[in-house]
Amino acid sequence: MTKQNEPIREADHTGWIDQGPRNEQRDRQNPNILVPPVTDHGTVTNLRFSFSDAHMRLEEGGWAREVTNRELPASHDMAGVNMCLKPGAYRELHWHKEAEWAIMLKGNARVTALNENGESFIDDLDAGDLWNFEAGIPHSIQALDQGCEFLLVFSEPDFSENNTFLLTDWLAHTPKDIVAANFKLDEDTLAALPTHEKYIFDGQVPGPISQVSRPGKTMQEPVTLHMKDVPAKQFEAGKVWIVDQNVFPAAKTISAAIVMVEPGGMRELHWHPKAEEWDYFMQGQAKVGVFNSNSLARTFDFQAGDVGVIPKEAGHYIQNIGDEPLIFIELFKNPIYSDISLNKWLATTPAQIVADHLNVSTATVKQLPSEEAAVVWYDDPTTPKKSNQSNGHTDDANSFFS
């Protein structure tokens, strides 16, 4: 925070005190908005929204809240839902017009699904595990003994959790005689059918999957991914787990990277050429700087529970400014993950070209990093490099959640 928590920038002696009225808690949470770096310039739209500011829909079996382009107009590709279920509670049988990518944040749950070939699927997931249901695939989610909280990401920015195809809602709006004929039952037998959607409702914690009878064929392509089976890419100041169609074939629309940045580290200067970046911050505090061409630059502050958007092709960095590992997820509406590293670009360009652009010597250019390193240390280049301290974390992404 700035000196006396005021919009005064010492670097160029600009600004003055804010005499109020003001929200000092917000100012403390957003020091780089209160006092932007001198490099910020022009008008860049808001790229941040917190789930803490989203409407909370409370139901008997849990709750849900969403961040769509209504809350974050800068999002052009995706929307997100944060949901929690009591032990045994259901997110009822349903399907979507959009693809659904999800990560279990806390607890455990059972998911079921059916594809267009009549093949069914069932699996139990723990914190850190993923699932993916492409558009039109019917599915359900039921919390197990710990209850669960998870993040859902959808492939359209105007998606709303309140506009899904729900089993009970459909049947409640279909003539009873048609339902009876479809199920080959008499109407009296169906007298207790729900008259409105159940959405999130209480249930009993189920027994082991081995005790569940499932007639028919089983899906050949799993729609879940256990993150203990996905190796991390190690970098000097953190780790990255890439989750795209190469490792999760069922995810045909959305790809992701789960990123861990040690205290004192940063996600290097880079950009993404294929899709807009939709971020969810799970732990820690971050400073994010975005350059969107034409001298447009803005810096934002993020913490756990926040959603961020970075425009397609916009240069950016993500710095850990806290004292614990920063953990966030980068998501893209593209089946294959891709990025371009500024370091790698300059390293593969003839040194004289780079030197002429940066007004430095070719000797200096040759000292620049020669390889992409997604997570690097933020420090004075004259000081010794730090060692990679993992704070006891392993390569298993599940450990961050459990």
Side-chain angles (χ1 to χ4, degrees):
M1 197 61 185
T2 60
K3 194 178 289 186
Q4 299 178 337
N5 300 331
E6 297 292 352
I8 298 173
R9 189 164 57 205
E10 302 288 346
D12 59 352
H13 309 291
T14 55
W16 198 49
I17 62 172
D18 182 349
Q19 301 183 67
R22 63 186 292 196
N23 187 329
E24 291 197 40
Q25 288 184 322
R26 287 284 195 186
D27 289 342
R28 290 192 180 93
Q29 289 180 351
N30 298 285
N32 289 289
I33 292 179
L34 181 67
V35 182
V38 294
T39 48
D40 279 14
H41 185 267
T43 301
V44 176
T45 189
N46 177 52
L47 302 176
R48 173 192 170 278
F49 193 88
S50 176
F51 269 112
S52 294
D53 293 325
H55 169 68
M56 183 73 82
R57 179 176 175 178
L58 302 179
E59 299 287 330
E60 70 172 31
W63 52 259
R65 53 190 177 180
E66 62 186 21
V67 175
T68 72
N69 62 0
R70 178 184 59 241
E71 291 78 17
L72 189 55
S75 180
H76 303 107
D77 283 355
M78 292 185 285
V81 174
N82 182 204
M83 186 176 290
C84 185
L85 303 177
K86 298 177 185 176
Y90 292 97
R91 169 65 173 95
E92 76 160 284
L93 289 159
H94 65 286
W95 72 97
H96 306 285
K97 299 175 184 177
E98 305 83 2
E100 172 184 317
W101 185 101
I103 184 168
M104 189 71 66
L105 301 175
K106 302 289 182 183
N108 52 8
R110 177 169 296 171
V111 298
T112 67
L114 179 77
N115 66 18
E116 62 270 35
N117 300 318
E119 299 168 336
S120 65
F121 184 84
I122 186 170
D123 195 14
D124 290 345
L125 302 176
D126 295 312
D129 291 335
L130 314 179
W131 70 79
N132 186 91
F133 303 124
E134 290 299 305
I137 297 297
H139 55 280
S140 70
I141 308 161
Q142 183 179 18
L144 298 178
D145 60 306
Q146 300 173 29
C148 63
E149 182 174 346
F150 45 89
L151 174 73
L152 306 169
V153 181
F154 296 89
S155 60
E156 293 298 333
D158 58 353
F159 168 86
S160 175
E161 181 66 14
N162 302 319
N163 295 328
T164 57
F165 294 99
L166 303 175
L167 170 65
T168 55
D169 190 32
W170 186 16
L171 297 184
H173 291 88
T174 303
K176 190 66 67 68
D177 62 313
I178 298 297
V179 177
N182 186 79
F183 291 156
K184 300 190 180 302
L185 297 169
D186 59 71
E187 292 186 41
D188 290 341
T189 303
L190 300 175
L193 282 180
T195 57
H196 59 276
E197 67 179 49
K198 301 184 78 169
Y199 186 53
I200 295 175
F201 63 100
D202 290 335
Q204 300 296 315
V205 175
I209 287 180
S210 59
Q211 298 177 5
V212 177
S213 174
R214 292 183 297 133
K217 298 181 293 182
T218 299
M219 275 190 202
Q220 298 304 302
E221 182 177 81
V223 293
T224 59
L225 181 68
H226 296 270
M227 286 302 295
K228 62 181 176 59
D229 300 325
V230 180
K233 290 188 175 183
Q234 299 275 354
F235 298 98
E236 64 182 44
K239 305 171 185 177
V240 179
W241 290 261
I242 302 296
V243 183
D244 63 9
Q245 209 168 11
N246 291 317
V247 296
F248 193 13
K252 296 175 173 58
T253 305
I254 296 173
S255 61
I258 301 173
V259 182
M260 187 278 286
V261 183
E262 296 286 1
M266 60 180 273
R267 180 77 170 86
E268 68 166 343
L269 289 164
H270 69 286
W271 68 95
H272 301 278
K274 300 297 185 183
E276 185 176 87
E277 178 176 337
W278 196 96
D279 292 325
Y280 177 71
F281 290 83
M282 302 175 55
Q283 177 180 296
Q285 296 176 288
K287 172 183 174 182
V288 179
V290 179
F291 169 67
N292 202 23
S293 78
N294 197 31
S295 299
L296 297 174
R298 189 175 178 188
T299 306
F300 296 86
D301 298 280
F302 289 88
Q303 55 189 310
D306 289 348
V307 172
V309 171
I310 296 173
K312 182 171 175 279
E313 287 115 3
H316 58 284
Y317 65 88
I318 301 174
Q319 180 186 355
N320 185 348
I321 58 172
D323 57 5
E324 64 178 335
L326 171 68
I327 304 171
F328 62 96
I329 309 173
E330 306 173 0
L331 295 121
F332 306 89
K333 190 177 177 179
N334 197 65
I336 302 298
Y337 175 88
S338 65
D339 67 6
I340 295 179
S341 161
L342 176 60
N343 282 340
K344 185 67 173 179
W345 181 34
L346 299 185
T348 56
T349 300
Q352 189 61 57
I353 295 177
V354 177
D356 290 344
H357 277 74
L358 301 185
N359 295 337
V360 297
S361 68
T362 56
T364 298
V365 171
K366 291 174 182 178
Q367 294 176 33
L368 298 177
S370 60
E371 291 295 333
E372 174 182 2
V375 188
V376 300
W377 291 118
Y378 167 81
D379 57 13
D380 185 330
T382 64
T383 62
K385 293 295 181 185
K386 305 170 187 176
S387 61
N388 189 358
Q389 303 269 331
S390 66
N391 289 347
H393 292 301
T394 68
D395 290 346
D396 180 0
N398 297 76
S399 66
F400 292 134
F401 305 86
S402 59

